[in-house]
Amino acid sequence: MIRFLTFPQSTWQHRQLWWRLTEREVLGKYRGSLLGVAWSFLTPLTMLGVYTFVFSQVFEARWGTLGSDGPLGFAINLFAGLIVFNLFAECINRAPTLVLANPNYVKKVVFPLEVLGTIAVGSAVFQALASLIVLVIFELIAIHHIPITFLFLPLVWAPLVLGCTAITWILAALGVFIRDLSQITAVLVSMLMFLSPIFYPVSALPKLWQPILAANPLAQVIEQTRLVTINGTSPDISYVSGGILFTMIACEIAFRFFQKSKRAFADVI
């Protein structure tokens, strides 16, 4: 298995480069702004306020789970889903233009282009971690404690991060050759936002539609995230083990696809 997987070795080999460029990516996003990195907290908090008002006050939606009654409880469940989705969406929306936005790395510099994908994922993970701090504060206000099962979150998110890395590598490679890909992914991500259980739990749907929605891999991550961060329930072992195994294989396939594709990047760009 270890010999079969080549992407962990490449990632570890370029870990210092990845760290420095990810740090530059995160800080550069807010460089020159008045509040700086504080926008990492204010942006999701603002969107949370808007979504919570619209769905819990205008549409009078309720979640109906333990410790989550009322608008604040709705906000906690909504925010947990948004954190997962925003991590995924940031990676997918950026992926098609990752290589195109860095032509100098392709033409003039000997640079491990595969690092661009992991940098994008690393930046998205940082934003997700900042949003988690906001989630913790909301939980302390609403239910006055943090479930011990919160510690399982890295296991729950492992398939998400690996899956985002795999998709990012594939889209980054395809985006060099298919310039319309960024428009396509933007539409698909917008559709996926409402086809994922962000504003509602899977159990709120008619039983006919529940298996269809549950087939959405993002739905599994969102539901498992709520289990460990809000409900105080341990994650599904089959989800964790199967998800990690599947996404590691997906990462290896995507990594090899990217490595083969990058030989033609200079000719196209």
Side-chain angles (χ1 to χ4, degrees), residues 252-265:
E252 182 62 26
I253 295 173
F255 177 76
R256 296 189 181 192
F257 173 76
F258 185 90
Q259 292 292 82
K260 290 184 177 180
S261 300
K262 74 177 184 179
R263 301 170 187 169
F265 288 171

Side-chain angles (χ1 to χ4, degrees), residues 3 6 11 24 35 42 79 88 102 108 126 153 165 167 207 214 217 252 257 268:
R3 292 182 179 179
T6 58
T11 303
R24 189 180 73 174
L35 298 178
L42 293 176
F79 198 36
F88 172 83
N102 297 278
K108 299 180 181 179
F126 171 83
L153 189 60
T165 304
I167 298 174
K207 291 185 177 180
E252 182 62 26
F257 173 76
V268 177

Side-chain angles (χ1 to χ4, degrees), residues 183-206:
Q183 282 74 28
I184 297 173
T185 55
V187 173
L188 292 178
V189 167
S190 298
M191 292 172 57
L192 193 60
M193 184 175 189
F194 295 98
L195 294 176
S196 300
I198 299 173
F199 307 103
Y200 52 85
V202 174
S203 58
L205 294 175

Side-chain angles (χ1 to χ4, degrees), residues 74-203:
F74 185 91
I76 292 173
N77 283 278
L78 169 62
F79 198 36
L82 276 177
I83 293 173
V84 173
F85 178 80
N86 287 340
L87 194 162
F88 172 83
E90 183 175 347
C91 295
I92 304 311
N93 284 330
R94 289 191 57 198
T97 58
L98 275 178
V99 178
L100 294 174
N102 297 278
N104 289 337
Y105 290 155
V106 178
K107 293 184 176 182
K108 299 180 181 179
V109 182
V110 178
F111 182 85
L113 292 174
E114 62 274 10
V115 174
L116 293 175
T118 55
I119 291 171
V121 175
S123 176
V125 170
F126 171 83
Q127 179 64 60
L129 293 177
S131 298
L132 275 179
I133 296 176
V134 177
L135 177 65
V136 168
I137 295 173
F138 266 66
E139 284 198 49
L140 289 174
I141 295 173
I143 58 180
H144 311 298
H145 74 280
I146 303 300
I148 189 64
T149 52
F150 214 107
L151 297 174
F152 288 118
L153 189 60
L155 289 177
V156 171
W157 276 14
L160 172 65
V161 174
L162 289 169
C164 286
T165 304
I167 298 174
T168 299
W169 274 329
I170 292 175
L171 293 180
L174 292 177
V176 177
F177 308 102
I178 307 173
R179 302 301 173 94
D180 294 336
L181 192 59
S182 58
Q183 282 74 28
I184 297 173
T185 55
V187 173
L188 292 178
V189 167
S190 298
M191 292 172 57
L192 193 60
M193 184 175 189
F194 295 98
L195 294 176
S196 300
I198 299 173
F199 307 103
Y200 52 85
V202 174
S203 58

Side-chain angles (χ1 to χ4, degrees), residues 24-31 33 90 94 123-124 127:
R24 189 180 73 174
E25 173 87 11
V26 171
L27 297 178
K29 187 180 299 184
Y30 306 104
R31 184 176 291 116
S33 63
E90 183 175 347
R94 289 191 57 198
S123 176
Q127 179 64 60

Side-chain angles (χ1 to χ4, degrees), residues 220-237:
Q220 297 293 327
V221 183
I222 292 173
E223 291 286 287
Q224 293 294 318
T225 297
R226 289 192 178 115
L227 284 179
V228 300
T229 60
I230 300 174
N231 297 346
T233 306
S234 299
D236 187 344
I237 298 300

